[in-house]
Amino acid sequence: MTDLDRLTEQAERDLAPLFAHVDRVAQKNTERVLDAFREERVSDAMFGASSGYGYDDRGRDALERIYARVFGAEAALVRHSIACGTHALTIGLFALLRPGDLLLSVAGKPYDTLDEVIGITGKPGCGSLRDFGVDYDKVDLLPDGTPDYAGIEAALKQHGDRVKVVFIQRSKGYLDRPTLTVGEIGELTAFVKARSGAVVMVDNCYGEFVEEREPTAVGADLIVGSLIKNPGGGIAECGGYLAGRRDLVELCSYRLTSPGEGGEIGATLGQNKPMYKGFFFAPHIVAQALKTAHFAAYIFSHLGFETEPAWDKPHADIIQVVRCGSPEIMVAFCRGLQMGSPVDSFVSCEPCQTPGYSDPVVMAAGAFTQGSSLELSADGPIRAPYLIYFQGGLTYESGKVGILSAARAVLRARGEA
C-alpha cells in the first residue's frame, strides 16, 4: 500500500460526516425537483422536438416553469441556444441596462470573461456596455471575504439613481476569496434594497444545488447560470438560464430573441429531454462534485498545500482552490488530472492564451461535453499567487481517481515520487 493509498483511507474516514451532510442537502434538493416535475405533470410528449419558430412548445414552457418553481422565482428562461454562462450574463446585463445607467459590482470585479462585455478591457466599438453608454463601478470585498457594507453604501450614495443593476458574483471566479453563501447574498440583497431601487442580479454559476436555497429565494431579482455547470447535471450538452422576477425575465427574453416575441419563440430541436434529465440528476451530480472537492482539499492539504475552502469546511459552490505556488505545479496538477480523465486522457495540458482571458490559462478538461465544469476539470490563469480552480466530478469514484492522478503528478514535479 502506497502513502497515497493510506492517505485516501484516512481521508474517507475523516470526511464521512461532511459526506453525510452533502447527501442530506442532495436529498432535499432532489425532493424539490421531483415535486416540481410532478406539479407540472411532465410527460413523454414534452420531450419531443419543435422546429422553426417553436410556437407552443409544451416541453420548453413546462421546463421553464420547473426552473422557476425549484429556484423560488416567478419565471425563468431556459434555452439550449444560450451558448455559455457569459452569454447568459450578457443577455441579462444588456436586457436591464440602458445608456446613462451604472452597473455596480459589490463582490469585487466580476469573472474575467465579463471584462470585455462590461468594457473594462477590449477595443472601443466592440459592442460592450461601455460602448452603449453604461458605466461601471465596483466595491471590493473586505480582506476577510465579507461584503464591504460601508463601501457599498458610499457607492450607492455617490451614484444615486444611476445604479440600475447591483451585480453579485456568488462564486469566487478567478479571485482569491471565499464564495458567498446564499445567506450572505440574502443579507447583501436586503441591504441594497433598503437603500436603492436597483435590480439585484446574481451570477449563480457553480452554486446551484450546493445549498437548499438559491439566491432568488432570499430576495435576489435575477439569477443567471449555465447548463454545462450544475443545473445541467452533466447531461445537458449546452444552454443557460435566467430566473427571477417575471418582468425582468421578459426583458431578458426580448434580448435573447426580439422585443414583442421574447420567450414565445425558440425551437428546441430535440434538446428538451437532456435538459429535463440533466435538471433531474443535478442535485445528485452536484453532491458527487462536492464530495470530490472535499477529497481534493484533504489530499492536497496533507501534501502541504493551502486550500480554500479547507477540507473540513462546507462549500458554497463546487469550486475547490489549491494554492500551487508556481506555474510548474499548476501545470503538473492539470496534466495529472487530465491523465485521470475519461476523455482525451492522452493530451498534455499547456498554458495558452484563451478568448476572454487576459492571462494565459492552463486547463484540464477531459470531459464528454466540451467546457463542462460539472465534469472533472481544473483551470487557472498563469499569474501570482498561482491558484488552481478545481471543480466537478460526475461520480465521486471517478473524481477520486482524477485527484489521485493529479497528486502523483504534483509529487513527481516536486521530485518526491
Side-chain angles (χ1 to χ4, degrees), residues 22-228:
V22 168
D23 287 336
R24 285 192 294 272
V25 173
Q27 180 67 41
K28 291 289 186 182
N29 286 330
T30 296
E31 290 170 2
R32 198 164 74 252
V33 170
L34 188 53
D35 285 345
F37 272 57
R38 291 191 294 237
E39 287 161 356
E40 288 297 332
R41 300 172 64 85
V42 172
S43 68
D44 184 71
M46 294 177 175
F47 303 150
S50 61
S51 61
Y53 295 126
Y55 287 136
D56 302 318
D57 189 314
R58 289 177 55 226
R60 179 196 66 207
D61 296 344
L63 180 63
E64 291 179 339
R65 291 194 298 270
I66 286 170
Y67 263 73
R69 286 181 185 271
V70 172
F71 288 165
E74 293 178 357
L77 187 68
V78 185
R79 302 297 166 105
H80 75 276
S81 54
I82 297 175
C84 60
T86 301
H87 183 198
L89 290 163
T90 301
I91 290 167
L93 292 171
F94 274 89
L96 303 181
L97 292 158
R98 299 290 181 270
D101 290 348
L102 185 135
L103 168 67
L104 178 63
S105 178
V106 295
K109 188 182 80 65
Y111 190 64
D112 291 35
T113 56
L114 284 180
D115 284 1
E116 292 186 55
V117 175
I118 296 169
I120 299 170
T121 62
K123 297 177 181 178
C126 70
S128 68
L129 288 169
R130 178 159 290 171
D131 285 340
F132 284 89
V134 175
D135 290 327
Y136 160 78
D137 197 3
K138 69 179 176 72
V139 180
D140 289 323
L141 296 173
L142 296 172
D144 64 356
T146 58
D148 179 1
Y149 286 105
I152 294 168
E153 185 164 30
L156 291 172
K157 286 181 179 178
Q158 176 188 347
H159 299 298
D161 291 341
R162 292 188 63 218
V163 180
K164 294 299 173 59
V165 174
V166 169
F167 185 84
I168 302 172
Q169 184 170 293
R170 179 175 179 178
S171 174
K172 57 180 63 64
Y174 277 161
L175 298 177
D176 188 11
R177 63 139 169 115
T179 293
L180 297 175
T181 66
V182 172
E184 288 173 322
I185 291 171
E187 292 172 6
L188 185 48
T189 298
F191 182 87
V192 168
K193 287 180 176 293
R195 293 160 177 81
S196 170
V199 168
V200 175
M201 175 177 169
V202 178
D203 177 354
N204 207 32
C205 288
Y206 303 103
E208 299 91 348
F209 296 121
V210 173
E211 300 183 54
E212 292 182 29
R213 301 178 298 173
E214 300 300 330
T216 30
V218 294
D221 296 303
L222 188 71
I223 60 172
V224 184
S226 165
L227 300 197
I228 61 171

Side-chain angles (χ1 to χ4, degrees), residues 76-399:
L77 187 68
V78 185
R79 302 297 166 105
H80 75 276
S81 54
I82 297 175
C84 60
T86 301
H87 183 198
L89 290 163
T90 301
I91 290 167
L93 292 171
F94 274 89
L96 303 181
L97 292 158
R98 299 290 181 270
D101 290 348
L102 185 135
L103 168 67
L104 178 63
S105 178
V106 295
K109 188 182 80 65
Y111 190 64
D112 291 35
T113 56
L114 284 180
D115 284 1
E116 292 186 55
V117 175
I118 296 169
I120 299 170
T121 62
K123 297 177 181 178
C126 70
S128 68
L129 288 169
R130 178 159 290 171
D131 285 340
F132 284 89
V134 175
D135 290 327
Y136 160 78
D137 197 3
K138 69 179 176 72
V139 180
D140 289 323
L141 296 173
L142 296 172
D144 64 356
T146 58
D148 179 1
Y149 286 105
I152 294 168
E153 185 164 30
L156 291 172
K157 286 181 179 178
Q158 176 188 347
H159 299 298
D161 291 341
R162 292 188 63 218
V163 180
K164 294 299 173 59
V165 174
V166 169
F167 185 84
I168 302 172
Q169 184 170 293
R170 179 175 179 178
S171 174
K172 57 180 63 64
Y174 277 161
L175 298 177
D176 188 11
R177 63 139 169 115
T179 293
L180 297 175
T181 66
V182 172
E184 288 173 322
I185 291 171
E187 292 172 6
L188 185 48
T189 298
F191 182 87
V192 168
K193 287 180 176 293
R195 293 160 177 81
S196 170
V199 168
V200 175
M201 175 177 169
V202 178
D203 177 354
N204 207 32
C205 288
Y206 303 103
E208 299 91 348
F209 296 121
V210 173
E211 300 183 54
E212 292 182 29
R213 301 178 298 173
E214 300 300 330
T216 30
V218 294
D221 296 303
L222 188 71
I223 60 172
V224 184
S226 165
L227 300 197
I228 61 171
K229 296 183 175 70
N230 301 18
I235 296 174
E237 296 189 344
C238 55
Y241 76 88
L242 302 99
R245 274 173 34 192
R246 191 174 304 280
D247 59 326
L248 303 181
V249 172
E250 184 176 28
L251 286 174
C252 293
S253 75
Y254 291 165
R255 177 68 191 182
L256 176 67
T257 59
S258 64
E261 293 185 312
E264 297 297 319
I265 63 171
T268 52
L269 304 176
Q271 292 300 310
N272 276 349
K273 187 172 183 178
M275 290 196 294
Y276 270 97
K277 197 171 183 180
F279 198 60
F280 177 76
F281 271 91
H284 174 72
I285 303 301
V286 168
Q288 301 297 293
L290 287 170
K291 290 179 181 180
T292 304
H294 280 296
F295 179 77
Y298 191 100
I299 294 297
F300 279 91
S301 66
H302 283 74
L303 295 180
F305 292 91
E306 290 183 35
T307 63
E308 204 294 312
W311 70 265
D312 57 347
K313 301 298 181 184
H315 275 249
D317 65 4
I318 64 169
I319 296 176
Q320 179 62 56
V321 174
V322 177
R323 190 179 293 269
C324 293
S326 73
E328 293 76 20
I329 296 299
M330 288 179 69
V331 172
F333 185 108
C334 287
R335 287 177 177 171
L337 194 75
Q338 189 79 25
M339 290 171 60
S341 300
V343 181
D344 291 332
S345 60
F346 53 88
V347 172
S348 180
C349 302
E350 296 288 347
C352 66
Q353 205 66 49
T354 304
Y357 298 90
S358 57
D359 298 286
V361 175
V362 62
M363 294 186 176
F368 292 98
T369 298
Q370 188 181 85
S372 173
S373 300
L374 189 57
E375 299 186 51
L376 196 67
S377 61
D379 54 271
I382 304 296
R383 64 182 181 225
Y386 305 111
L387 307 178
I388 276 291
Y389 299 83
F390 163 82
Q391 57 270 321
L394 294 179
T395 68
Y396 168 64
E397 294 81 6
S398 62

